[in-house]
């Protein structure tokens, strides 16, 4: 078995990930998180909150997973959220057409349907299942549609991303943040996409978890006050130019902004925070890069966009996170459909004096001429720019009617006014994280094998802060004189908030292997020395080293080990390791 098969087999067998609906034959693109997978996922999400809610001061909201039609009309999902599809004329199997040419074209999703089909024909691409002829390429919308309420009167859609809930709550968020930019909202929750052929485990799902932040900023200033905190961090950048050369380039974030590789400080700051987060949860930095979208794949509204990609066995480079400057596209799109003003009044540091032309309609003359429409005509005249008032006749529109006005009925006056600010539509920086993909990548990057006494040992070297089980308490044998002290230790550790497991099944060596395989960082073994001398052993998962500590110190020692405040070799008196036995 290759690494991909080993990780997936371990995940199924040990209760990380299970194919959903197995009792009824299953359905591709859906997975259950088992007793170890669910807490692992929660801890990955909690660290994300530590980064983007607590450290950055963003507000977390929770919006419905079903949205009304207008939302997705504004966002463009109804018209443009689709994938290119092709089908086999013989066996009727369907495929993502762009996936069939990934080994030929580096960025196939930048091609039109006609170009994808032409590439398939030129390279004699046939059905992977039966070798049959494939159909022309057509679009398939990925939205799950439903109806809200009885009698099918209102259409709804399962959301394909969490972002829209933050955009449509913009007015309330603005009030919550006292009307001042910048501010941000985050959301962690389920999204849904009716994927054509989800064949890559949790890498491509029909129901998945996203963690997204929408950071609303003043478009006139894209510097970041904490840029100095990250400017010296070095990372692999796979920029547009680097992709032309075919090799990544390592540089600091300060250099990336100075050289124009990353568009501006704010975007670079959140790429750096994404990088720090991924390392903290256990992504291997040697198998991580940030790839810039090429010009032909960059969204038309985006100023810049970077994807965090990880290298996985068999699957190659897989996107985990996208960090984009979406400019003002989203708020303007929702303004156009909802007819609600989504701008922000930004105050100047000091009021400014400005001269302006004031239009003064002659209401004494307009009244008799237009009667009940006179006020509307006057307001329409006031809204015109000076150049629109300069012709031989002035035209205004009132209630859809075009009306000609004699210029003699309008005068002008230049006045000086004090301007305290202006209306701006914020730009949006969006880091969007795929939690399921991150979880699987952590399992892949944490999986190791070694050999002990001629036997293979499988180990998940999960970081302590995400391990679903932090400590296993193991009586040497299932005897009452050992079980009693072991359960006392178990209760004490749980009272300290540690995630613990208790295991008496099989030999102590077999129990060590089970815990190594699920990533438990430490095991506490209660033996007869515990009774005679009041000490226990603590075993380290990665080195298999053991130390002996007084029973009354075990909780404090483990807490310090798990927090990274105590090196293992300093935790107690060394005991011979398994490697030396």
């Amino acid at each position: 078995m290759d690494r991909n098969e080993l990780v997936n087999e371990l995940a199924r067998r040990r209760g990380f990930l299970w194919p959903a609906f197995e009792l009824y034959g299953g359905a591709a693109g859906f997975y259950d998180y088992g007793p170890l997978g669910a807490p692992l996922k929660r801890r990955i999400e909690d660290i994300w909150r530590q980064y983007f809610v607590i450290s950055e001061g963003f507000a977390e909201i929770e919006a419905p997973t079903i949205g009304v039609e207008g939302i997705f009309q504004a966002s463009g999902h109804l018209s443009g959220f689709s994938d290119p599809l092709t089908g086999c004329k013989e066996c009727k199997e369907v495929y993502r057409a762009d996936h069939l040419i990934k080994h030929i074209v580096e960025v196939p999703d930048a091609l039109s349907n006609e170009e994808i089909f032409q590439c398939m024909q030129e390279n004699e691409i046939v059905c992977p299942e039966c070798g049959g002829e494939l159909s022309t390429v057509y679009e398939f919308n990925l939205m799950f549609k439903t109806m809200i309420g009885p009698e099918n009167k209102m259409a709804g859609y399962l959301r394909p991303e969490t972002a829209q809930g933050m955009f449509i709550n913009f007015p309330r968020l603005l009030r919550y943040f006292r009307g001042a930019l910048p501010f941000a909202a985050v959301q962690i929750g389920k999204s849904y996409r009716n994927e054509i052929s989800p064949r890559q485990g949790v890498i491509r799902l029909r129901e998945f978890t996203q963690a997204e932040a929408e950071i609303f900023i003043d478009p006139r200033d894209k510097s970041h006050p904490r840029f100095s905190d990250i400017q010296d961090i070095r990372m692999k950048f796979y920029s547009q130019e680097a992709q032309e050369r075919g090799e990544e380039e390592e540089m600091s974030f300060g250099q990336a902004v100075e050289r124009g590789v990353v568009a501006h400080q704010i975007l670079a700051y959140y790429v750096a925070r994404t990088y720090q987060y991924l390392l903290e949860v256990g992504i291997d930095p040697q198998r991580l890069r940030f790839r810039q979208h090429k010009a032909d794949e960059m969204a038309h509204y985006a100023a810049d966009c970077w994807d965090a990609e990880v290298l996985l066995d068999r699957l190659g480079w897989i996107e985990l996170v996208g960090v984009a400057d979406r400019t003002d596209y989203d708020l303007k799109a929702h303004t156009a459909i909802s007819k609600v003003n989504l701008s922000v009044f930004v105050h100047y540091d000091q009021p400014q004096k400005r001269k302006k032309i004031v239009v003064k309609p002659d209401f004494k003359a307009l009244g008799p001429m237009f009667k009940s429409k006179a006020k509307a005509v006057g307001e329409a005249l006031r809204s015109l720019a000076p150049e629109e008032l300069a012709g031989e006749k002035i035209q205004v529109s009132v209630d859809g009617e075009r009306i000609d006005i004699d210029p003699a009925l309008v005068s002008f006056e230049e006045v000086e006014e004090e301007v305290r600010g202006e209306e701006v539509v914020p730009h949006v920086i969006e880091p969007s994280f795929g939690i399921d993909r991150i979880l699987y990548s952590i399992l892949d990057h944490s999986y190791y094998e070694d050999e002990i006494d001629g036997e293979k040992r499988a180990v998940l070297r999960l970081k302590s802060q995400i391990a679903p089980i932090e400590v296993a308490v193991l009586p040497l044998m299932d005897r009452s004189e050992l079980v009693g002290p072991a359960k006392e230790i178990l209760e004490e550790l749980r009272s300290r908030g540690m995630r613990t497991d208790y295991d008496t099944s099989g030999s102590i060596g077999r129990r060590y292997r089970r815990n190594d395989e699920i990533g438990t960082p430490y095991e506490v073994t209660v033996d007869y020395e515990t009774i005679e001398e009041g000490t226990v052993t603590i075993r380290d998962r990665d080195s298999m080293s053991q130390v002996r500590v007084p029973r009354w110190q075990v909780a404090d020692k483990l807490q310090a080990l798990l927090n990274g405040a105590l090196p293992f070799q300093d935790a107690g008196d060394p005991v011979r390791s398994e490697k030396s036995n």
Side-chain angles (χ1 to χ4, degrees):
M1 289 194 291
D2 64 16
R3 187 185 192 88
N4 180 69
E5 291 173 315
L6 289 167
V7 171
N8 277 291
E9 190 274 334
L10 185 152
R12 285 192 298 271
R13 178 167 47 82
R14 298 312 306 269
F16 286 95
L17 290 163
W18 294 327
F21 323 129
E22 283 187 298
L23 200 64
Y24 291 93
F30 297 95
Y31 273 81
D32 293 333
Y33 284 88
L36 294 177
L40 173 61
K41 187 181 181 190
R42 294 290 91 76
R43 302 194 87 184
I44 291 169
E45 293 171 352
D46 287 344
I47 293 174
W48 191 90
R49 286 186 173 93
Q50 182 67 46
Y51 268 76
F52 292 97
V53 178
I54 297 172
S55 295
E56 297 296 330
F58 297 167
E60 182 173 5
I61 70 168
E62 184 175 326
T65 59
I66 293 178
V68 297
E69 196 166 45
I71 296 171
F72 306 111
Q73 181 185 351
S75 67
H77 286 98
L78 286 183
S79 59
F81 190 63
S82 56
D83 279 340
L85 191 69
T86 185
C88 177
K89 295 180 179 179
E90 303 295 328
C91 70
K92 308 306 179 185
E93 187 66 59
V94 293
Y95 302 96
R96 274 278 299 268
D98 54 334
H99 286 180
L100 296 177
I101 60 169
K102 285 182 73 172
H103 63 292
I104 302 168
V105 180
E106 186 176 3
V107 189
D109 53 359
L111 302 179
S112 68
N113 290 346
E114 292 74 17
E115 290 170 327
I116 294 173
F117 185 61
Q118 183 179 349
C119 181
M120 289 165 54
Q121 289 184 310
E122 290 174 353
N123 292 275
E124 299 180 349
I125 303 294
V126 295
C127 173
E129 288 293 325
C130 72
E133 183 184 355
L134 294 170
S135 71
T136 56
V137 178
Y138 59 96
E139 290 298 312
F140 173 74
N141 192 283
L142 302 177
M143 299 275 282
F144 280 104
K145 186 174 183 178
T146 186
M147 302 309 296
I148 301 171
E151 299 182 11
N152 296 339
K153 290 182 178 179
M154 180 183 288
Y157 295 85
L158 294 179
R159 66 185 183 191
E161 61 183 20
T162 62
Q164 300 307 319
M166 290 170 275
F167 294 139
I168 62 176
N169 277 296
F170 177 80
R172 293 188 180 277
L173 288 165
L174 180 61
R175 284 195 292 275
Y176 177 81
F177 283 101
R178 295 175 289 280
L181 293 173
F183 66 86
V186 308
Q187 188 169 191
I188 300 179
K190 294 287 190 180
S191 296
Y192 307 85
R193 298 180 184 181
N194 196 10
E195 293 286 354
I196 295 165
S197 52
R199 292 185 174 89
Q200 296 177 314
V202 295
I203 299 302
R204 192 163 297 280
L205 295 170
R206 289 180 167 131
E207 176 187 279
F208 54 96
T209 299
Q210 281 185 298
E212 293 189 294
E214 305 302 329
I215 305 154
F216 300 98
I217 64 170
D218 188 331
R220 301 165 304 173
D221 180 9
K222 293 191 175 181
S223 62
H224 197 286
R226 292 170 58 189
F227 184 71
S228 59
D229 294 351
I230 58 90
Q231 66 180 2
D232 295 328
I233 297 173
R234 299 183 68 82
M235 189 189 75
K236 294 177 187 174
F237 291 86
Y238 201 31
S239 64
Q240 293 178 0
E241 291 183 5
Q243 290 172 68
E244 293 295 325
R245 299 192 303 269
E247 59 182 7
E248 300 133 11
E249 183 178 6
E250 185 174 308
M251 69 184 84
S252 71
F253 280 91
Q255 291 171 323
V257 173
E258 184 179 342
R259 290 168 47 181
V261 174
V262 181
H264 49 77
Q265 284 189 8
I266 294 183
L267 186 63
Y269 177 83
Y270 290 109
V271 170
R273 294 294 281 157
T274 298
Y275 177 69
Q276 290 174 312
Y277 165 77
L278 291 174
L279 296 189
E280 178 144 346
V281 294
I283 296 298
D284 180 0
Q286 299 306 313
R287 289 182 276 177
L288 170 65
R289 71 183 185 190
F290 276 73
R291 186 183 71 83
Q292 186 179 33
H293 283 203
K294 289 185 174 181
D296 58 1
E297 65 173 320
M298 190 87 72
H300 67 276
Y301 51 79
D304 198 2
C305 185
W306 291 80
D307 288 344
E309 297 182 333
V310 293
L311 185 61
L312 300 177
D313 280 16
R314 187 194 294 184
L315 301 177
W317 287 101
I318 295 293
E319 175 196 350
L320 301 185
V321 187
V323 187
D325 180 343
R326 297 176 62 91
T327 65
D328 56 10
Y329 171 80
D330 301 284
L331 293 181
K332 282 188 172 179
H334 283 292
T335 294
I337 299 298
S338 69
K339 309 303 181 187
V340 176
N341 179 18
L342 299 180
S343 64
V344 178
F345 185 80
V346 179
H347 290 270
Y348 297 142
D349 293 335
Q350 295 292 332
Q352 299 178 9
K353 299 287 186 180
R354 289 183 185 170
K355 291 182 178 179
K356 63 178 289 188
I357 301 295
V358 176
V359 179
K360 303 180 73 175
D362 184 351
F363 281 102
K364 287 184 179 180
L366 293 174
M369 293 176 64
F370 297 105
K371 297 182 172 55
S372 63
K373 290 186 178 180
K375 183 178 179 181
V377 170
E379 292 301 322
L381 288 167
R382 282 175 173 166
S383 68
L384 297 178
E387 57 269 21
E388 295 177 283
L389 300 163
E392 293 184 3
K393 282 192 176 180
I394 301 170
Q395 271 200 343
V396 295
S397 178
V398 176
D399 296 332
E401 179 186 356
R402 304 294 295 181
I403 301 173
D404 293 333
I405 307 293
D406 188 337
L409 300 178
V410 183
S411 61
F412 309 92
E413 181 182 356
E414 185 178 75
V415 299
E416 186 176 74
E417 65 176 0
E418 186 176 80
V419 181
R420 297 183 175 274
E422 64 181 289
E423 293 282 339
V424 301
V425 178
H427 283 199
V428 176
I429 308 299
E430 181 190 72
S432 178
F433 294 70
I435 296 297
D436 309 272
R437 290 186 174 196
I438 290 171
L439 184 148
Y440 178 80
S441 300
I442 291 168
L443 293 178
D444 183 281
H445 287 193
S446 301
Y447 183 85
Y448 289 86
E449 290 182 355
D450 55 22
E451 192 172 293
I452 305 299
D453 297 330
E455 290 187 8
K456 184 185 78 171
R457 181 178 81 123
V459 187
L460 281 181
R461 293 182 180 172
L462 298 175
K463 294 203 168 188
S464 297
Q465 58 265 37
I466 66 164
I469 303 296
E470 294 173 303
V471 182
V473 179
L474 313 173
L476 185 64
M477 289 178 282
D478 191 11
R479 294 182 178 174
S480 58
E481 62 269 27
L482 300 178
V483 166
K487 288 193 172 179
E488 289 176 5
I489 292 172
L490 179 73
E491 292 306 314
E492 183 180 1
L493 298 181
R494 286 177 174 171
S495 72
R496 297 279 193 104
M498 296 182 213
R499 297 173 180 269
T500 58
D501 190 26
Y502 179 81
D503 188 0
T504 60
S505 176
S507 68
I508 192 68
R510 190 169 297 280
R511 284 179 274 164
Y512 285 158
R513 298 295 173 268
R514 280 203 294 266
N515 279 283
D516 292 342
E517 196 174 41
I518 65 172
T520 305
Y522 302 105
E523 294 98 5
V524 174
T525 304
V526 175
D527 55 23
Y528 283 99
E529 286 187 50
T530 308
I531 300 170
E532 296 164 5
E533 301 179 12
T535 61
V536 299
T537 62
I538 300 177
R539 175 183 179 271
D540 175 65
R541 174 197 65 209
D542 295 339
S543 67
M544 296 183 292
S545 299
Q546 298 182 35
V547 294
R548 195 124 203 133
V549 303
R551 157 73 186 82
W552 61 272
Q553 291 182 349
V554 68
D556 290 334
K557 296 278 189 181
L558 284 167
Q559 210 152 41
L561 287 168
L562 290 166
N563 293 338
L566 178 67
F568 187 78
Q569 63 269 21
D570 298 337
D573 297 327
V575 180
R576 282 194 309 165
S577 70
E578 293 161 75
K579 288 184 178 180
S580 61
N581 284 344

mmCIF file with all atom_site columns, all heavy atoms in Angstrom, residues 53 246 255 416 445 474 565 567:
data_model
loop_
_atom_site.group_PDB
_atom_site.id
_atom_site.type_symbol
_atom_site.label_atom_id
_atom_site.label_alt_id
_atom_site.label_comp_id
_atom_site.label_asym_id
_atom_site.label_entity_id
_atom_site.label_seq_id
_atom_site.pdbx_PDB_ins_code
_atom_site.Cartn_x
_atom_site.Cartn_y
_atom_site.Cartn_z
_atom_site.occupancy
_atom_site.B_iso_or_equiv
_atom_site.pdbx_formal_charge
_atom_site.auth_seq_id
_atom_site.auth_comp_id
_atom_site.auth_asym_id
_atom_site.auth_atom_id
_atom_site.pdbx_PDB_model_num
ATOM 1  N N   . VAL A 1 53  ? -9.982  34.861 15.702  1.00 0.00 ? 53  VAL A N   1
ATOM 2  C CA  . VAL A 1 53  ? -10.997 35.503 16.543  1.00 0.00 ? 53  VAL A CA  1
ATOM 3  C C   . VAL A 1 53  ? -10.335 36.178 17.730  1.00 0.00 ? 53  VAL A C   1
ATOM 4  O O   . VAL A 1 53  ? -10.466 37.387 17.934  1.00 0.00 ? 53  VAL A O   1
ATOM 5  C CB  . VAL A 1 53  ? -12.061 34.486 17.017  1.00 0.00 ? 53  VAL A CB  1
ATOM 6  C CG1 . VAL A 1 53  ? -13.075 35.163 17.938  1.00 0.00 ? 53  VAL A CG1 1
ATOM 7  C CG2 . VAL A 1 53  ? -12.780 33.868 15.820  1.00 0.00 ? 53  VAL A CG2 1
ATOM 8  N N   . GLY A 1 246 ? 9.110   27.491 -13.203 1.00 0.00 ? 246 GLY A N   1
ATOM 9  C CA  . GLY A 1 246 ? 8.906   26.133 -12.728 1.00 0.00 ? 246 GLY A CA  1
ATOM 10 C C   . GLY A 1 246 ? 9.577   25.830 -11.415 1.00 0.00 ? 246 GLY A C   1
ATOM 11 O O   . GLY A 1 246 ? 9.833   24.665 -11.092 1.00 0.00 ? 246 GLY A O   1
ATOM 12 N N   . GLN A 1 255 ? 10.241  41.299 1.816   1.00 0.00 ? 255 GLN A N   1
ATOM 13 C CA  . GLN A 1 255 ? 10.773  41.316 0.445   1.00 0.00 ? 255 GLN A CA  1
ATOM 14 C C   . GLN A 1 255 ? 9.642   41.105 -0.566  1.00 0.00 ? 255 GLN A C   1
ATOM 15 O O   . GLN A 1 255 ? 9.638   41.733 -1.629  1.00 0.00 ? 255 GLN A O   1
ATOM 16 C CB  . GLN A 1 255 ? 11.827  40.221 0.288   1.00 0.00 ? 255 GLN A CB  1
ATOM 17 C CG  . GLN A 1 255 ? 13.113  40.477 1.060   1.00 0.00 ? 255 GLN A CG  1
ATOM 18 C CD  . GLN A 1 255 ? 14.039  39.260 1.055   1.00 0.00 ? 255 GLN A CD  1
ATOM 19 O OE1 . GLN A 1 255 ? 13.563  38.115 1.127   1.00 0.00 ? 255 GLN A OE1 1
ATOM 20 N NE2 . GLN A 1 255 ? 15.334  39.498 0.983   1.00 0.00 ? 255 GLN A NE2 1
ATOM 21 N N   . GLU A 1 416 ? -18.561 77.392 -0.513  1.00 0.00 ? 416 GLU A N   1
ATOM 22 C CA  . GLU A 1 416 ? -17.497 76.641 0.161   1.00 0.00 ? 416 GLU A CA  1
ATOM 23 C C   . GLU A 1 416 ? -18.134 75.888 1.329   1.00 0.00 ? 416 GLU A C   1
ATOM 24 O O   . GLU A 1 416 ? -18.863 76.476 2.121   1.00 0.00 ? 416 GLU A O   1
ATOM 25 C CB  . GLU A 1 416 ? -16.409 77.577 0.668   1.00 0.00 ? 416 GLU A CB  1
ATOM 26 C CG  . GLU A 1 416 ? -15.202 76.823 1.239   1.00 0.00 ? 416 GLU A CG  1
ATOM 27 C CD  . GLU A 1 416 ? -14.083 77.768 1.642   1.00 0.00 ? 416 GLU A CD  1
ATOM 28 O OE1 . GLU A 1 416 ? -14.235 78.450 2.677   1.00 0.00 ? 416 GLU A OE1 1
ATOM 29 O OE2 . GLU A 1 416 ? -13.065 77.822 0.920   1.00 0.00 ? 416 GLU A OE2 1
ATOM 30 N N   . HIS A 1 445 ? 0.762   14.149 6.693   1.00 0.00 ? 445 HIS A N   1
ATOM 31 C CA  . HIS A 1 445 ? 2.079   14.682 7.029   1.00 0.00 ? 445 HIS A CA  1
ATOM 32 C C   . HIS A 1 445 ? 2.590   14.174 8.377   1.00 0.00 ? 445 HIS A C   1
ATOM 33 O O   . HIS A 1 445 ? 3.790   14.262 8.657   1.00 0.00 ? 445 HIS A O   1
ATOM 34 C CB  . HIS A 1 445 ? 2.040   16.212 7.040   1.00 0.00 ? 445 HIS A CB  1
ATOM 35 C CG  . HIS A 1 445 ? 1.961   16.812 5.671   1.00 0.00 ? 445 HIS A CG  1
ATOM 36 N ND1 . HIS A 1 445 ? 2.184   18.143 5.422   1.00 0.00 ? 445 HIS A ND1 1
ATOM 37 C CD2 . HIS A 1 445 ? 1.700   16.253 4.457   1.00 0.00 ? 445 HIS A CD2 1
ATOM 38 C CE1 . HIS A 1 445 ? 2.048   18.380 4.128   1.00 0.00 ? 445 HIS A CE1 1
ATOM 39 N NE2 . HIS A 1 445 ? 1.751   17.256 3.529   1.00 0.00 ? 445 HIS A NE2 1
ATOM 40 N N   . LEU A 1 474 ? -2.357  3.563  31.555  1.00 0.00 ? 474 LEU A N   1
ATOM 41 C CA  . LEU A 1 474 ? -2.262  2.135  31.293  1.00 0.00 ? 474 LEU A CA  1
ATOM 42 C C   . LEU A 1 474 ? -1.776  1.387  32.530  1.00 0.00 ? 474 LEU A C   1
ATOM 43 O O   . LEU A 1 474 ? -0.589  1.479  32.882  1.00 0.00 ? 474 LEU A O   1
ATOM 44 C CB  . LEU A 1 474 ? -1.282  1.878  30.132  1.00 0.00 ? 474 LEU A CB  1
ATOM 45 C CG  . LEU A 1 474 ? -1.433  2.745  28.873  1.00 0.00 ? 474 LEU A CG  1
ATOM 46 C CD1 . LEU A 1 474 ? -0.288  2.462  27.914  1.00 0.00 ? 474 LEU A CD1 1
ATOM 47 C CD2 . LEU A 1 474 ? -2.778  2.496  28.216  1.00 0.00 ? 474 LEU A CD2 1
ATOM 48 N N   . ALA A 1 565 ? 6.182   23.512 27.904  1.00 0.00 ? 565 ALA A N   1
ATOM 49 C CA  . ALA A 1 565 ? 6.983   24.260 28.878  1.00 0.00 ? 565 ALA A CA  1
ATOM 50 C C   . ALA A 1 565 ? 8.096   23.414 29.494  1.00 0.00 ? 565 ALA A C   1
ATOM 51 O O   . ALA A 1 565 ? 8.947   23.944 30.203  1.00 0.00 ? 565 ALA A O   1
ATOM 52 C CB  . ALA A 1 565 ? 6.076   24.802 29.987  1.00 0.00 ? 565 ALA A CB  1
ATOM 53 N N   . PRO A 1 567 ? 10.923  20.203 28.569  1.00 0.00 ? 567 PRO A N   1
ATOM 54 C CA  . PRO A 1 567 ? 11.480  19.172 27.679  1.00 0.00 ? 567 PRO A CA  1
ATOM 55 C C   . PRO A 1 567 ? 11.324  17.797 28.316  1.00 0.00 ? 567 PRO A C   1
ATOM 56 O O   . PRO A 1 567 ? 11.447  17.649 29.543  1.00 0.00 ? 567 PRO A O   1
ATOM 57 C CB  . PRO A 1 567 ? 12.962  19.565 27.578  1.00 0.00 ? 567 PRO A CB  1
ATOM 58 C CG  . PRO A 1 567 ? 13.043  20.975 28.064  1.00 0.00 ? 567 PRO A CG  1
ATOM 59 C CD  . PRO A 1 567 ? 11.949  21.147 29.050  1.00 0.00 ? 567 PRO A CD  1
#
